[in-house]
Amino acid sequence: MTTETAPPTAKRVPSERTHHGDTVIDEYAWLAAKDDPDTMAYLTAENEYTEARTAHLAELRGELFEEIRRRTRETDLSVPTRKGGHWYYTRTIEGQQYGVQCRRAVRDGEVDPPVSVDGAPLDGEEVLLDGNLLAEGHDFLALGAFDVSPDGRWLAYSTDFSGDERFTLRVKDLTTGELLPDEIPDTFYGTAWSADASVLFYVTVDDAWRPNRVWRHTIGSATADDVVVHQEDDERFWVGVELTRSEKFILIDVHSKVTSEVLVIPAGNPTGAPAVIAPRRQGVEYTVEHHGHRFLILHNDGAEDFALAFTSADAPGDWVPLIDHTPGTRLEAVDAFANHLVVSLRTDGLTGLRVLPVGSDDAYDISFPEPLYSVGLDANSEYRTGQIRLRYASLVTPDSVYDYDLVTRQLVLRKQKPVLPGPDGRPYDPTEYEQHRDWALADDGTRVPISLVCRVGTPRDSSAPCELYGYGSYEASMDPWFSVARLSLLDRGVVFAVAHTRGGGELGRRWYDQGKMLAKKNTFTDFVACARHLVKAGWTASDRLVARGGSAGGLLMGAVANLAPDAFAGIVAEVPFVDPLTSILDPSLPLTVTEWEEWGNPLDDPEVYAYMKSYAPYENVAAVAYPAILAATSLNDTRVLYSEPAKWIARLRAVAPDGDYLLKTEMGAGHSGPSGRYDSWREEAFINAWILDRLGRA
């Protein structure tokens, strides 16, 4: 039994590891044995200890959960999206954890998406998939595929009931509602239909959880007869499959962290051999979109922030420039419609959309009013259309869905996510909050952007508490987003800030390159610089500042805990990648080999080994005064193994025993945590209650 004053003590079992003449003794390596009763007993004891240590926050957790629930319209309906002869949408129902996937036939003369009163079902609705029925008898549910065939007859969908991202693929006849006998276990994300819906392409993984094979399945045939269309043997690469918006081609995307290759199969000839658009060349990345008689190529060949070109769809060859490379303007994607192209881009740390009318040189950017925002294309299934669907949000503007008329160039708001009155009964008013862009100065003189939001009138005298969020890896950008749960913090006087550190993609490809491989430490020092700047600028004080990050952002949390423990009052590390050296040294683990182009290969390169060891959180735990730490993980996570935070907390307790360390393990979930929306809200309420407690606002 554990008590509030006696945290669990993990046994020490020395395990020796030697690389490049360096021998490391890991006393907690045994925790990686998931089937060891001692492992499960330890994780259970940690959960009991965490529950005991946070029991005084039970009432606050309940309040925070209730605030999320009260502000959320529980029975709601998404803006329907047209595909062929139907409108497709999702409904949520009060009291139910999962969404209901539906469609309704398009009626004569119907141009605008149909609307519903208070989230009620649309007249003539057809339920395609009810996640609540699927989840019966399970504590977890995730959908990997949801793919309606071009003729609207079949639905290919896949389910995961444990969180390990191994999905079972099924096909449903939407005319009868019956499941076909076609059932394929152990599939990955990604499916694509042939033009006549007779063939379904899907993806499977190898033993290291790397998606490496694309298969062809003929509807109604035995899965034993399925054919491997492409197998990727280079362990640095992974594969994906999709049908182009034009429904003319199956695309097989083969990608490593820095190199790509795309193969195509005519959707009208699904048994044809895949043709390569351009052979892979180390360091050259490209994606393909079909448009009429050409393939659009978004690439970085001699273009650090990417350029757009095209080649013949009949005989792919040379790439003809369409949009030249502009340093500082990162082209991220191109979407093709019959009469327009839409390029997603970012410049000066903000996302944007550029429209290129076909046959005209009149390219233009869609403008938006706020100083900080995030915009991108939403679901756009129709190739021949005069309008596009986009999503928009900011730190103060709730998620909004717009249709943009490509002819009149007008934005039409279809729906803004409702924010219902909070506990005081007052409706949400965005003018009561303010957002800012600030800049910190890193050790090497680099200016690092910070996005902030707070209530109007929040003092700038260092008295306000603050949460600082960070990620900084994989060129992923933490663009401004709206959060209902965050309102509970803001209304309690907390400032919320995001550090846009190097390693992310906010300021283009160079920003990413300067925070990876042998420059990875820039991510960590940038975050500390942001924390110091917030204090210097009067936004907060070090004893009122909590840091938070997840996954690779959890690595960031562990690194800054070692680098600047005095800078924070608390740290939340979710599914944290805190033992990266151990993981990246083991090529048998999920994702390891594919990650070498992100972090380096410490197995073969002694310089990379030494560099990673110098910042790996687990390797660098020291006998210092750490801030309070809450580590949250999931037992079935295949991306960041639960053992990493478990080992980290065990070593922290052993080396710096005076600290306040908590480990919370979801025993039936994966990388994204609980799957049901109410369970997710409870998890967020738990973390936010801990944060408020550390900030003195509990």
Side-chain angles (χ1 to χ4, degrees), residues 55-56 84 87 102 118 139 183 370 379 455 473 487 665:
H56 65 292
W87 296 104
C102 308
D118 295 329
D139 295 327
E183 184 175 303
E370 294 183 90
R455 283 196 68 92
S473 291
L487 294 176
T665 304

Side-chain angles (χ1 to χ4, degrees), residues 180-199:
L180 303 186
D182 313 60
E183 184 175 303
I184 309 170
D186 297 324
T187 61
F188 193 65
Y189 302 97
T191 55
W193 288 99
S194 64
D196 63 359
S198 65
V199 168

Side-chain angles (χ1 to χ4, degrees), residues 300-429:
N300 70 337
D301 187 11
E304 181 180 53
D305 280 322
F306 287 68
L308 182 63
F310 66 89
T311 189
S312 169
D314 302 316
D318 293 339
W319 295 355
V320 180
L322 192 58
I323 297 180
D324 292 332
H325 174 241
T326 301
T329 298
R330 173 68 160 93
L331 306 186
E332 296 195 319
V334 59
D335 286 83
F337 303 91
N339 297 312
H340 295 79
L341 308 180
V342 181
V343 176
S344 300
L345 52 83
R346 63 174 57 250
T347 185
D348 297 327
L350 289 177
T351 52
L353 296 172
R354 180 168 298 165
V355 179
L356 287 73
V358 174
S360 169
D361 294 330
D362 185 22
Y364 62 93
D365 293 346
I366 304 175
S367 61
F368 301 95
E370 294 183 90
L372 294 178
Y373 59 84
S374 177
V375 66
L377 290 186
D378 205 353
N380 286 278
S381 302
E382 293 285 274
Y383 180 67
R384 300 189 179 281
T385 181
Q387 62 183 19
I388 55 172
R389 174 72 51 81
L390 59 88
R391 61 187 184 277
Y392 177 92
S394 77
L395 293 169
V396 301
T397 301
D399 297 347
S400 306
V401 175
Y402 287 88
D403 280 340
Y404 180 75
D405 192 303
L406 293 164
V407 177
T408 65
R409 302 187 181 184
Q410 296 296 311
L411 279 169
V412 178
L413 177 63
R414 294 301 185 190
K415 184 172 185 177
Q416 188 172 91
K417 185 176 181 179
V419 181
L420 303 184
D424 59 2
R426 296 173 58 203
Y428 172 70
D429 182 356

Side-chain angles (χ1 to χ4, degrees), residues 15-300:
S15 176
E16 188 174 294
R17 181 191 76 208
T18 301
H19 292 281
H20 308 296
D22 178 53
T23 298
V24 173
I25 305 299
D26 187 348
E27 296 179 312
Y28 304 106
W30 64 271
L31 281 166
K34 189 176 179 179
D35 56 353
D36 186 339
D38 286 350
T39 298
M40 299 307 295
Y42 176 73
L43 296 178
T44 299
E46 286 284 6
N47 278 348
E48 292 173 352
Y49 176 70
T50 296
E51 181 58 35
R53 284 297 310 276
T54 59
H56 65 292
L57 299 174
E59 183 176 346
L60 177 58
R61 291 199 297 264
E63 290 176 7
L64 295 174
F65 172 82
E66 186 64 17
E67 288 171 20
I68 298 172
R69 190 194 66 78
R70 287 186 61 171
R71 286 184 165 120
T72 302
R73 180 174 290 171
E74 297 176 76
T75 298
D76 206 358
L77 186 145
S78 67
V79 180
T81 299
R82 182 168 181 169
K83 181 181 180 183
H86 291 88
W87 296 104
Y88 291 84
Y89 57 95
T90 302
R91 283 196 295 109
T92 54
I93 302 168
E94 183 175 354
Q96 297 191 5
Q97 292 266 30
Y98 300 98
V100 182
Q101 311 295 329
C102 308
R103 73 179 181 184
R104 198 212 66 178
V106 177
R107 294 173 178 169
D108 290 343
E110 197 169 43
V111 176
D112 294 335
V115 295
S116 166
V117 178
D118 295 329
L122 295 177
D123 180 39
E125 174 181 281
E126 179 183 351
V127 174
L128 307 183
L129 207 61
D130 187 336
N132 303 288
L133 296 179
L134 285 176
E136 286 183 354
H138 303 279
D139 295 327
F140 182 93
L141 168 68
L143 289 179
F146 185 90
D147 191 358
V148 177
S149 61
D151 61 3
R153 180 181 179 185
W154 310 117
L155 169 65
Y157 73 95
S158 61
T159 51
D160 163 24
F161 294 114
S162 68
D164 63 1
E165 297 182 90
R166 264 71 168 183
F167 298 91
T168 297
L169 180 62
R170 297 177 174 87
V171 178
K172 182 177 182 179
D173 187 337
L174 297 181
T175 60
T176 66
E178 299 296 321
L179 286 177
L180 303 186
D182 313 60
E183 184 175 303
I184 309 170
D186 297 324
T187 61
F188 193 65
Y189 302 97
T191 55
W193 288 99
S194 64
D196 63 359
S198 65
V199 168
L200 179 66
F201 295 84
Y202 64 92
V203 177
T204 60
V205 299
D206 63 11
D207 292 338
W209 195 75
R210 176 180 65 98
N212 70 322
R213 288 177 174 173
V214 175
W215 296 76
R216 183 178 69 237
H217 172 74
T218 301
I219 299 300
S221 69
T223 56
D225 297 330
D226 290 357
V227 175
V228 176
V229 177
H230 178 79
Q231 177 170 315
E232 182 52 51
D233 295 323
D234 189 329
E235 293 181 298
R236 298 173 301 159
F237 289 79
W238 63 92
V239 302
V241 67
E242 63 177 326
L243 178 65
T244 60
R245 181 179 287 105
S246 66
E247 299 183 344
K248 298 296 184 182
F249 289 93
I250 308 294
L251 299 181
I252 298 175
D253 177 64
V254 185
H255 218 107
S256 79
K257 296 294 182 184
V258 300
T259 305
S260 57
E261 182 177 73
V262 178
L263 301 87
V264 298
I265 302 171
N269 182 26
T271 60
V276 176
I277 294 295
R280 68 187 69 171
R281 288 182 288 151
Q282 182 67 20
V284 175
E285 300 173 67
Y286 72 93
T287 58
V288 172
E289 173 82 321
H290 175 242
H291 185 246
H293 293 291
R294 60 184 180 175
F295 288 123
L296 302 172
I297 314 289
L298 194 71
H299 68 89
N300 70 337

